[in-house]
Amino acid sequence: MEDKDKINNHNDSAKVITRRDFFNKIGTTATGVVLLGSLGVTLDFLSPNVLLEIPKEFKIGPLENIQPDSVIDNAEHHVFIFREHPGSFYAVSSICTHLGCNTKWNPAGIEGHPEGVIACPCHGSIFDKKGNVLHGPAPRSLDRFLVRVENDKLVINTDEIVSEDKMIVKV
Amino acid sequence: MKKIEWLMNTKIWRSIFRTKLPISTNLDRSLVIFNSLTLHIHPVKVREKAICFSYTFYLGMISFFLFVILIVTGILLMLYYQPAIPNAYQNMKDIQYVVSNGTFLRNMHRWSAHLMVFTVFLHMLRVFFKGAYKPPREFNWIIGVILLLLTLLLSYTGYLLPYDQLSYWAVTVGANIVKYVPFIGTKIRFLLLGGNQIGDYTLVRFYVLHCVILPSVMLLLVALHFWRIRKDGGLL
Ligand code: HEM
Ligand code: FES
């Protein structure tokens, strides 16, 4: 058998596949396929399909219950909801853009921002009330969410992130 | 001495330790080490300077010893701990205030963990300054680096288990650092947390990593680490 293998290997013109080569190839390929398959199946298994997390969309209202010039800190969804004087609303994420801690609304503000700031306890980032960074280490402004008005309530979905100029809704 | 000799000649002793008695020649002495699994952790012959304290400061052995303490105390802690919300936090409080000697046990585990990070790091410095990472020991250095990473990962996964404010925010921050891995960061974070936020699944995942997966890998690599020391020609 071994002699025969050698002869075949040295003979370039006729590429004969021996029975042993054939079964070796089939075996290795099958093992490879099974290994790759089980890797895929395991990865799939590790990724949960049903999550008991709170829904991304939520409602706040009715509108007259929201004080003008006030801030609601919705801790459940990690969102600040601001109402400004004439009846304009906007929503800013309370999750710090540095490494994800919960920020707090600080009504006392800091020098130059007496209207109040959003501050992070973890590494000291500070944002203005529109979510812009005043102070690092946060690399970018807080997420702003699209706010819609439905049946006298604000509807906010934390999947719908908008830019600063599109965040305000007026009623 | 007489009593020990008598003990070593009993039938039961002879059935456990096969070494030929009396031990008189160098060969006999070698065979004691060679024939025993527990003593086999040391090579048959050691250079005298290698067992001198100021040579290694025993830092590797101290790390290993702390690891053994962590396994023993950890297994005991498991008897009173459930990795679920809100049980986890209450269990930790119970271990401290209700279980006999619980505070002592918990502190043993915590202090040993802190110390182990420290001694492993010092051990690495010792190896570095002695130049003991150079060939033929370069592969043992690599194993060492993985052991250091495992030590840190064990600390990180263990930190979530009490499920208090410190745990929660430390893991939040850590998981968000993972998110910065290019392309697959968000996916890794999702798999690590078992969701988008820290929750029940996260706690169980960290528990399994902390109590089963990481210690097993660590044990395996420590064995390899010790075996390599011998195969690389003993301590430098
Ligand atoms: C879990 C952590 C570790 C344990 C339990 C451990 C254990 C040990 C032990 C018992 C020794 C014998 C000499 C001594 O006591 O110093 C040793 C030697 C050695 N360790 Fe570690 N070690 C660990 C981590 C590391 C790390 C982080 C490195 C480097 C990155 C490393 C690299 C080495 C090398 C290269 C040697 C051989 C030193 C020589 O030949 O002089 N080890 N280790
Ligand atoms: S997480 Fe907010 S400053 Fe670091």
mmCIF file of all heavy atoms in Angstrom, chain B residues 7-35:
data_model
loop_
_atom_site.group_PDB
_atom_site.id
_atom_site.type_symbol
_atom_site.label_atom_id
_atom_site.label_comp_id
_atom_site.label_asym_id
_atom_site.label_seq_id
_atom_site.Cartn_x
_atom_site.Cartn_y
_atom_site.Cartn_z
ATOM 1 N N LEU B 7 5.312 3.814 60.502
ATOM 2 C CA LEU B 7 4.165 4.138 59.644
ATOM 3 C C LEU B 7 4.490 3.852 58.191
ATOM 4 O O LEU B 7 3.687 3.261 57.451
ATOM 5 C CB LEU B 7 3.809 5.617 59.828
ATOM 6 C CG LEU B 7 2.524 6.083 59.139
ATOM 7 C CD1 LEU B 7 1.326 5.488 59.852
ATOM 8 C CD2 LEU B 7 2.449 7.596 59.136
ATOM 9 N N MET B 8 5.706 4.245 57.793
ATOM 10 C CA MET B 8 6.070 4.078 56.391
ATOM 11 C C MET B 8 6.242 2.613 56.003
ATOM 12 O O MET B 8 6.296 2.298 54.825
ATOM 13 C CB MET B 8 7.354 4.864 56.081
ATOM 14 C CG MET B 8 7.106 6.356 56.030
ATOM 15 S SD MET B 8 8.627 7.293 55.904
ATOM 16 C CE MET B 8 9.049 7.036 54.210
ATOM 17 N N ASN B 9 6.335 1.744 57.012
ATOM 18 C CA ASN B 9 6.494 0.333 56.703
ATOM 19 C C ASN B 9 5.182 -0.448 56.799
ATOM 20 O O ASN B 9 5.160 -1.638 56.539
ATOM 21 C CB ASN B 9 7.540 -0.297 57.616
ATOM 22 C CG ASN B 9 8.933 -0.012 57.072
ATOM 23 O OD1 ASN B 9 9.211 -0.288 55.910
ATOM 24 N ND2 ASN B 9 9.791 0.571 57.888
ATOM 25 N N THR B 10 4.080 0.282 57.175
ATOM 26 C CA THR B 10 2.803 -0.425 57.245
ATOM 27 C C THR B 10 2.354 -0.779 55.834
ATOM 28 O O THR B 10 2.762 -0.165 54.853
ATOM 29 C CB THR B 10 1.697 0.429 57.902
ATOM 30 O OG1 THR B 10 1.623 1.648 57.191
ATOM 31 C CG2 THR B 10 1.976 0.662 59.354
ATOM 32 N N LYS B 11 1.454 -1.766 55.785
ATOM 33 C CA LYS B 11 0.988 -2.258 54.493
ATOM 34 C C LYS B 11 0.217 -1.167 53.742
ATOM 35 O O LYS B 11 0.352 -1.003 52.534
ATOM 36 C CB LYS B 11 0.080 -3.472 54.735
ATOM 37 C CG LYS B 11 0.050 -4.380 53.547
ATOM 38 C CD LYS B 11 -0.644 -5.682 53.874
ATOM 39 C CE LYS B 11 -0.874 -6.452 52.594
ATOM 40 N NZ LYS B 11 -1.865 -7.502 52.805
ATOM 41 N N ILE B 12 -0.593 -0.407 54.534
ATOM 42 C CA ILE B 12 -1.416 0.635 53.887
ATOM 43 C C ILE B 12 -0.529 1.700 53.234
ATOM 44 O O ILE B 12 -0.715 2.072 52.090
ATOM 45 C CB ILE B 12 -2.360 1.277 54.922
ATOM 46 C CG1 ILE B 12 -3.301 0.202 55.458
ATOM 47 C CG2 ILE B 12 -3.130 2.423 54.304
ATOM 48 C CD1 ILE B 12 -4.236 0.682 56.536
ATOM 49 N N TRP B 13 0.465 2.181 54.008
ATOM 50 C CA TRP B 13 1.385 3.186 53.458
ATOM 51 C C TRP B 13 2.060 2.669 52.195
ATOM 52 O O TRP B 13 2.127 3.354 51.174
ATOM 53 C CB TRP B 13 2.420 3.570 54.512
ATOM 54 C CG TRP B 13 3.339 4.677 54.063
ATOM 55 C CD1 TRP B 13 4.403 4.544 53.251
ATOM 56 C CD2 TRP B 13 3.228 6.069 54.372
ATOM 57 N NE1 TRP B 13 4.991 5.763 53.021
ATOM 58 C CE2 TRP B 13 4.286 6.723 53.713
ATOM 59 C CE3 TRP B 13 2.352 6.820 55.164
ATOM 60 C CZ2 TRP B 13 4.483 8.098 53.804
ATOM 61 C CZ3 TRP B 13 2.560 8.184 55.260
ATOM 62 C CH2 TRP B 13 3.619 8.809 54.581
ATOM 63 N N ARG B 14 2.522 1.421 52.284
ATOM 64 C CA ARG B 14 3.231 0.844 51.149
ATOM 65 C C ARG B 14 2.323 0.721 49.928
ATOM 66 O O ARG B 14 2.798 0.720 48.793
ATOM 67 C CB ARG B 14 3.790 -0.549 51.501
ATOM 68 C CG ARG B 14 4.613 -0.616 52.772
ATOM 69 C CD ARG B 14 5.985 0.006 52.661
ATOM 70 N NE ARG B 14 6.763 -0.543 51.564
ATOM 71 C CZ ARG B 14 7.402 0.204 50.690
ATOM 72 N NH1 ARG B 14 7.358 1.524 50.781
ATOM 73 N NH2 ARG B 14 8.092 -0.351 49.734
ATOM 74 N N SER B 15 0.994 0.573 50.198
ATOM 75 C CA SER B 15 0.092 0.437 49.055
ATOM 76 C C SER B 15 -0.137 1.789 48.381
ATOM 77 O O SER B 15 -0.504 1.859 47.213
ATOM 78 C CB SER B 15 -1.234 -0.163 49.499
ATOM 79 O OG SER B 15 -1.957 0.797 50.239
ATOM 80 N N ILE B 16 0.079 2.900 49.119
ATOM 81 C CA ILE B 16 -0.136 4.227 48.524
ATOM 82 C C ILE B 16 1.153 4.752 47.904
ATOM 83 O O ILE B 16 1.159 5.241 46.783
ATOM 84 C CB ILE B 16 -0.648 5.221 49.589
ATOM 85 C CG1 ILE B 16 -1.927 4.671 50.239
ATOM 86 C CG2 ILE B 16 -0.921 6.581 48.957
ATOM 87 C CD1 ILE B 16 -2.408 5.482 51.426
ATOM 88 N N PHE B 17 2.270 4.678 48.650
ATOM 89 C CA PHE B 17 3.548 5.174 48.151
ATOM 90 C C PHE B 17 4.460 4.007 47.825
ATOM 91 O O PHE B 17 4.834 3.246 48.710
ATOM 92 C CB PHE B 17 4.202 6.098 49.188
ATOM 93 C CG PHE B 17 3.318 7.255 49.549
ATOM 94 C CD1 PHE B 17 2.598 7.256 50.729
ATOM 95 C CD2 PHE B 17 3.189 8.337 48.688
ATOM 96 C CE1 PHE B 17 1.761 8.306 51.056
ATOM 97 C CE2 PHE B 17 2.361 9.396 49.014
ATOM 98 C CZ PHE B 17 1.637 9.380 50.184
ATOM 99 N N ARG B 18 4.781 3.863 46.579
ATOM 100 C CA ARG B 18 5.489 2.667 46.120
ATOM 101 C C ARG B 18 6.994 2.749 46.276
ATOM 102 O O ARG B 18 7.700 1.813 45.933
ATOM 103 C CB ARG B 18 5.175 2.422 44.639
ATOM 104 C CG ARG B 18 3.704 2.249 44.355
ATOM 105 C CD ARG B 18 3.164 1.040 45.082
ATOM 106 N NE ARG B 18 1.796 0.749 44.692
ATOM 107 C CZ ARG B 18 1.232 -0.433 44.825
ATOM 108 N NH1 ARG B 18 1.938 -1.434 45.326
ATOM 109 N NH2 ARG B 18 -0.009 -0.625 44.480
ATOM 110 N N THR B 19 7.489 3.892 46.751
ATOM 111 C CA THR B 19 8.934 4.072 46.812
ATOM 112 C C THR B 19 9.612 2.998 47.673
ATOM 113 O O THR B 19 9.108 2.641 48.724
ATOM 114 C CB THR B 19 9.269 5.447 47.427
ATOM 115 O OG1 THR B 19 8.414 6.389 46.834
ATOM 116 C CG2 THR B 19 10.707 5.794 47.170
ATOM 117 N N LYS B 20 10.746 2.559 47.166
ATOM 118 C CA LYS B 20 11.503 1.528 47.874
ATOM 119 C C LYS B 20 12.102 2.096 49.164
ATOM 120 O O LYS B 20 12.567 3.243 49.198
ATOM 121 C CB LYS B 20 12.628 1.027 46.942
ATOM 122 C CG LYS B 20 13.535 -0.034 47.517
ATOM 123 C CD LYS B 20 14.551 -0.414 46.470
ATOM 124 C CE LYS B 20 16.005 -0.185 46.799
ATOM 125 N NZ LYS B 20 16.466 0.852 47.631
ATOM 126 N N LEU B 21 11.996 1.346 50.237
ATOM 127 C CA LEU B 21 12.556 1.779 51.517
ATOM 128 C C LEU B 21 13.669 0.830 51.944
ATOM 129 O O LEU B 21 13.641 -0.339 51.580
ATOM 130 C CB LEU B 21 11.459 1.787 52.583
ATOM 131 C CG LEU B 21 10.399 2.886 52.432
ATOM 132 C CD1 LEU B 21 9.294 2.695 53.446
ATOM 133 C CD2 LEU B 21 11.001 4.274 52.556
ATOM 134 N N PRO B 22 14.639 1.227 52.717
ATOM 135 C CA PRO B 22 14.875 2.599 53.153
ATOM 136 C C PRO B 22 15.435 3.477 52.028
ATOM 137 O O PRO B 22 15.994 2.976 51.071
ATOM 138 C CB PRO B 22 15.918 2.409 54.267
ATOM 139 C CG PRO B 22 16.665 1.188 53.853
ATOM 140 C CD PRO B 22 15.661 0.289 53.188
ATOM 141 N N ILE B 23 15.268 4.817 52.196
ATOM 142 C CA ILE B 23 15.784 5.742 51.198
ATOM 143 C C ILE B 23 17.229 6.043 51.543
ATOM 144 O O ILE B 23 17.507 6.655 52.577
ATOM 145 C CB ILE B 23 14.976 7.043 51.220
ATOM 146 C CG1 ILE B 23 13.503 6.743 50.886
ATOM 147 C CG2 ILE B 23 15.535 8.039 50.232
ATOM 148 C CD1 ILE B 23 12.567 7.855 51.243
ATOM 149 N N SER B 24 18.161 5.569 50.727
ATOM 150 C CA SER B 24 19.554 5.780 51.100
ATOM 151 C C SER B 24 20.376 6.431 49.989
ATOM 152 O O SER B 24 21.162 7.331 50.252
ATOM 153 C CB SER B 24 20.188 4.448 51.503
ATOM 154 O OG SER B 24 19.821 3.457 50.571
ATOM 155 N N THR B 25 20.142 6.034 48.752
ATOM 156 C CA THR B 25 20.984 6.576 47.686
ATOM 157 C C THR B 25 20.315 7.781 47.042
ATOM 158 O O THR B 25 19.127 8.059 47.273
ATOM 159 C CB THR B 25 21.206 5.525 46.597
ATOM 160 O OG1 THR B 25 19.940 5.230 46.001
ATOM 161 C CG2 THR B 25 21.801 4.256 47.168
ATOM 162 N N ASN B 26 21.062 8.524 46.213
ATOM 163 C CA ASN B 26 20.514 9.645 45.458
ATOM 164 C C ASN B 26 19.403 9.186 44.539
ATOM 165 O O ASN B 26 18.417 9.887 44.336
ATOM 166 C CB ASN B 26 21.612 10.315 44.637
ATOM 167 C CG ASN B 26 22.248 11.435 45.420
ATOM 168 O OD1 ASN B 26 21.685 11.871 46.438
ATOM 169 N ND2 ASN B 26 23.403 11.895 44.952
ATOM 170 N N LEU B 27 19.570 8.004 43.984
ATOM 171 C CA LEU B 27 18.544 7.473 43.095
ATOM 172 C C LEU B 27 17.230 7.299 43.854
ATOM 173 O O LEU B 27 16.170 7.679 43.363
ATOM 174 C CB LEU B 27 19.008 6.140 42.503
ATOM 175 C CG LEU B 27 17.974 5.462 41.607
ATOM 176 C CD1 LEU B 27 17.689 6.320 40.375
ATOM 177 C CD2 LEU B 27 18.437 4.071 41.185
ATOM 178 N N ASP B 28 17.310 6.767 45.091
ATOM 179 C CA ASP B 28 16.106 6.590 45.895
ATOM 180 C C ASP B 28 15.413 7.924 46.120
ATOM 181 O O ASP B 28 14.198 8.042 46.014
ATOM 182 C CB ASP B 28 16.449 5.969 47.260
ATOM 183 C CG ASP B 28 16.981 4.553 47.094
ATOM 184 O OD1 ASP B 28 16.740 3.966 46.028
ATOM 185 O OD2 ASP B 28 17.640 4.058 48.032
ATOM 186 N N ARG B 29 16.226 8.930 46.420
ATOM 187 C CA ARG B 29 15.662 10.260 46.680
ATOM 188 C C ARG B 29 14.947 10.790 45.446
ATOM 189 O O ARG B 29 13.877 11.381 45.535
ATOM 190 C CB ARG B 29 16.758 11.223 47.120
ATOM 191 C CG ARG B 29 16.997 11.162 48.596
ATOM 192 C CD ARG B 29 18.124 12.065 49.073
ATOM 193 N NE ARG B 29 18.793 11.358 50.166
ATOM 194 C CZ ARG B 29 20.021 10.882 50.099
ATOM 195 N NH1 ARG B 29 20.760 11.098 49.051
ATOM 196 N NH2 ARG B 29 20.520 10.214 51.099
ATOM 197 N N SER B 30 15.547 10.582 44.288
ATOM 198 C CA SER B 30 14.908 11.015 43.051
ATOM 199 C C SER B 30 13.588 10.292 42.850
ATOM 200 O O SER B 30 12.595 10.883 42.440
ATOM 201 C CB SER B 30 15.802 10.727 41.848
ATOM 202 O OG SER B 30 17.090 11.169 42.092
ATOM 203 N N LEU B 31 13.604 9.003 43.194
ATOM 204 C CA LEU B 31 12.401 8.206 42.950
ATOM 205 C C LEU B 31 11.226 8.654 43.815
ATOM 206 O O LEU B 31 10.076 8.550 43.402
ATOM 207 C CB LEU B 31 12.700 6.715 43.188
ATOM 208 C CG LEU B 31 13.528 6.058 42.071
ATOM 209 C CD1 LEU B 31 13.896 4.626 42.439
ATOM 210 C CD2 LEU B 31 12.773 6.078 40.749
ATOM 211 N N VAL B 32 11.506 9.197 45.020
ATOM 212 C CA VAL B 32 10.428 9.698 45.869
ATOM 213 C C VAL B 32 9.634 10.754 45.108
ATOM 214 O O VAL B 32 8.407 10.741 45.066
ATOM 215 C CB VAL B 32 10.999 10.301 47.167
ATOM 216 C CG1 VAL B 32 9.895 10.976 47.962
ATOM 217 C CG2 VAL B 32 11.663 9.231 47.992
ATOM 218 N N ILE B 33 10.353 11.690 44.506
ATOM 219 C CA ILE B 33 9.714 12.763 43.739
ATOM 220 C C ILE B 33 9.058 12.191 42.492
ATOM 221 O O ILE B 33 7.902 12.484 42.177
ATOM 222 C CB ILE B 33 10.767 13.813 43.331
ATOM 223 C CG1 ILE B 33 11.482 14.359 44.560
ATOM 224 C CG2 ILE B 33 10.138 14.919 42.521
ATOM 225 C CD1 ILE B 33 10.647 15.234 45.441
ATOM 226 N N PHE B 34 9.807 11.337 41.836
ATOM 227 C CA PHE B 34 9.375 10.831 40.539
ATOM 228 C C PHE B 34 8.103 10.011 40.638
ATOM 229 O O PHE B 34 7.246 10.064 39.769
ATOM 230 C CB PHE B 34 10.512 9.975 39.967
ATOM 231 C CG PHE B 34 10.458 9.846 38.490
ATOM 232 C CD1 PHE B 34 10.765 10.926 37.679
ATOM 233 C CD2 PHE B 34 10.092 8.651 37.897
ATOM 234 C CE1 PHE B 34 10.708 10.827 36.312
ATOM 235 C CE2 PHE B 34 10.032 8.534 36.526
ATOM 236 C CZ PHE B 34 10.343 9.621 35.726
ATOM 237 N N ASN B 35 7.956 9.275 41.738
ATOM 238 C CA ASN B 35 6.842 8.338 41.860
ATOM 239 C C ASN B 35 5.602 8.925 42.516
ATOM 240 O O ASN B 35 4.611 8.229 42.694
ATOM 241 C CB ASN B 35 7.274 7.109 42.667
ATOM 242 C CG ASN B 35 8.189 6.228 41.849
ATOM 243 O OD1 ASN B 35 8.107 6.224 40.634
ATOM 244 N ND2 ASN B 35 9.067 5.506 42.524
#
